Amino acid sequence: MEINNGVEDELEEEEFGFSRNYFLAKELGGSGKKSTRKLSDIGLVDEQELRAAASNIEPKHEKEIVALMNSYKSLYPKWVFELRCGFGLLMYGFGSKKSLIEDFASTALTEYSVVVINGYLQTINVKQVVISLAEVLADQLRTKRANTSGNLSKQPFNSRSMDDLLAFLNGSQTQDKDCFICIVVHNIDGPGLRDPETQQYLSQIAACSCIRIIASIDHVNSALLWDKKMVHTQFNWCWYHVPTFAPYRVEGMFFPMILAHGSTAQTAKTAAIVLQSLTPNAQSVFRVLAEHQLSHPDEEGMPINDLYTICRERFLVSSQVTLNSHLTEFKDHELVKTRRHSDGQDCLYIPLTAEALVKLLAEISQ
């Protein structure tokens, strides 16, 4: 008993010492002069230099990673079978799943149409995605000479409501159960997709009879995006733990690095990646606007009517509707913005410096 009492006394003295030192430190700290240093005084490295240094880090365990990736290929037939049965595939685990999913789509899904959504982008137009899916399905039905009854086949899809488009995707236009479209969503928990409304639309798309979805997640709280109905009835997920230990090279391009200044080259490269995911005509329309901005640096922007006239003369667009579709994509990706001209008309401008714009044009020309 005496030994136990002695140990307890020592612990009490130690705790008292910690408490006394804490209050002494607070007292001394309050009496001293406050530092005049600011966070802005820290010498931050240029973001491009930091990314270049990070890309030069030697990869480790390459043989083991290759063997791991090859082991996943044995699951491809099972994944295709589950898609045909109406399930969705959800990949999770440490490392980028982009290459793995793209390899699966390019080797095992060659018989099906595949639409890719890059969820790691900052903004995504979900309706434009649904319009693209409807157009792909309509092409499939025309190829199979199916009878696509209803007004949707006669009117442009971009003039239809979301409910009409979803009804078309979920309609019984074909008896072939293997006639479906696969949607690949890289980072379905990404910043451009994680709001509740977008997730509701994605779950409704996944529930359509002509749609199968393959997606990846990386955020620790991704499962909180969905309720029970979305998980088990609409998405109908089959969860797969597939750690790849691959760096997030492409996904990381769209997020600023900590303790780094953004550079002109990096801004141009990020915009170039977005542009390269668009159609050649869309890129050409963007080039027209960029060249006008570089040749007229003192103007507030390019009037929409002037852009339409030039694009029409160069056979880049056939109507104002087509141009508006391209402009919607640009605005969604924050490549183009609108502001009011002094004479009252709306003008388009690219929110990049002249130097970054020149680099961007050089990037997309390669």
Side-chain angles (χ1 to χ4, degrees):
M1 293 293 296
E2 293 181 359
I3 295 175
N4 289 337
N5 290 335
V7 171
E8 290 178 0
D9 291 340
E10 289 180 7
L11 289 174
E12 288 180 3
E13 288 181 8
E14 188 175 357
E15 290 178 1
F16 176 74
F18 282 140
S19 302
R20 182 181 57 190
N21 291 337
Y22 170 79
F23 288 108
L24 284 173
K26 291 288 289 183
E27 184 179 350
L28 292 173
S31 61
K33 293 183 179 179
K34 291 185 178 180
S35 173
T36 58
R37 296 181 182 275
K38 301 176 182 177
L39 188 62
S40 57
D41 296 334
I42 300 175
L44 301 181
V45 68
D46 182 82
E47 186 172 355
Q48 184 69 9
E49 293 180 12
L50 188 55
R51 289 187 184 275
S55 64
N56 290 329
I57 297 175
E58 288 189 15
K60 297 181 179 180
H61 311 292
E62 289 182 285
K63 292 182 180 179
E64 291 82 358
I65 291 175
V66 170
L68 179 65
M69 296 294 287
N70 288 333
S71 70
Y72 295 144
K73 293 184 179 182
S74 63
L75 296 172
Y76 287 4
K78 181 181 179 182
W79 292 351
V80 174
F81 175 75
E82 288 172 341
L83 288 173
R84 293 179 63 183
C85 290
F87 292 97
L89 303 178
L90 187 64
M91 313 296 181
Y92 69 99
F94 182 79
S96 172
K97 275 74 67 183
K98 189 172 186 295
S99 297
L100 173 64
I101 295 176
E102 288 177 349
D103 182 70
F104 168 64
S106 62
T107 58
L109 300 178
T110 53
E111 299 179 9
Y112 308 100
S113 298
V114 178
V115 175
V116 179
I117 303 174
N118 294 319
Y120 47 77
L121 298 176
Q122 297 297 316
T123 53
I124 295 172
N125 189 331
V126 178
K127 185 174 182 180
Q128 194 62 43
V129 170
V130 179
I131 290 171
S132 299
L133 292 171
E135 290 173 346
V136 171
L137 179 59
D139 288 340
Q140 283 188 4
L141 296 175
R142 290 191 199 100
T143 302
K144 291 179 176 290
R145 296 181 180 179
N147 181 22
T148 54
S149 60
N151 296 327
L152 275 170
S153 60
K154 299 177 182 179
Q155 299 182 13
F157 288 113
N158 54 16
S159 65
R160 310 302 298 181
S161 67
M162 280 290 286
D163 290 339
D164 288 340
L165 291 167
L166 290 170
F168 176 72
L169 293 176
N170 200 31
S172 55
Q173 292 89 357
T174 177
Q175 299 299 321
D176 188 357
K177 298 300 181 182
D178 282 339
C179 180
F180 55 79
I181 303 168
C182 295
I183 306 178
V184 169
V185 188
H186 297 300
N187 297 96
I188 196 171
D189 55 348
L193 298 175
R194 64 174 60 141
D195 61 283
E197 183 181 5
T198 301
Q199 289 294 326
Q200 284 290 344
Y201 277 130
L202 288 174
S203 65
Q204 291 176 43
I205 294 169
C208 292
S209 58
C210 298
I211 300 295
R212 302 293 185 273
I213 190 166
I214 308 105
S216 65
I217 55 173
D218 283 290
H219 198 283
V220 66
N221 293 323
S222 297
L224 298 178
L225 293 172
W226 312 306
D227 57 29
K228 187 176 180 180
K229 177 185 176 183
M230 295 167 72
V231 171
H232 297 294
T233 306
Q234 294 177 309
F235 285 120
N236 204 14
W237 291 128
C238 285
W239 297 67
Y240 279 95
H241 183 227
V242 285
T244 63
F245 304 98
Y248 296 90
R249 295 191 187 281
V250 177
E251 300 93 326
M253 292 292 295
F254 299 91
F255 293 89
M257 298 188 76
I258 299 174
L259 297 181
H261 281 305
S263 66
T264 298
Q266 184 61 31
T267 303
K269 190 159 187 173
T270 302
I273 292 174
V274 175
L275 278 173
Q276 287 164 0
S277 68
L278 304 179
T279 63
N281 272 7
Q283 294 178 27
S284 298
V285 171
F286 183 86
R287 181 181 292 279
V288 171
L289 180 59
E291 290 173 348
H292 179 274
Q293 185 163 315
L294 289 172
S295 59
H296 302 81
D298 297 329
E299 293 187 4
E300 297 178 57
M302 186 176 189
I304 296 178
N305 291 336
D306 293 354
L307 178 62
Y308 173 67
T309 301
I310 295 175
C311 292
R312 185 73 183 268
E313 291 173 352
R314 298 185 185 181
F315 301 101
L316 300 177
V317 298
S318 58
S319 65
Q320 185 72 46
V321 174
T322 308
L323 178 61
N324 290 341
S325 177
H326 292 319
L327 293 178
T328 299
E329 286 186 308
F330 297 154
K331 291 175 183 177
D332 288 341
H333 295 304
E334 298 184 349
L335 293 172
V336 170
K337 293 187 177 181
T338 307
R339 61 186 166 198
R340 186 77 64 178
H341 195 272
S342 54
D343 61 4
Q345 63 179 330
D346 289 333
C347 292
L348 303 166
Y349 73 99
I350 302 169
L352 294 175
T353 63
E355 182 185 357
L357 204 50
V358 171
K359 290 182 180 293
L360 175 57
L361 292 177
E363 283 275 350
I364 62 176
S365 298
Q366 294 177 357

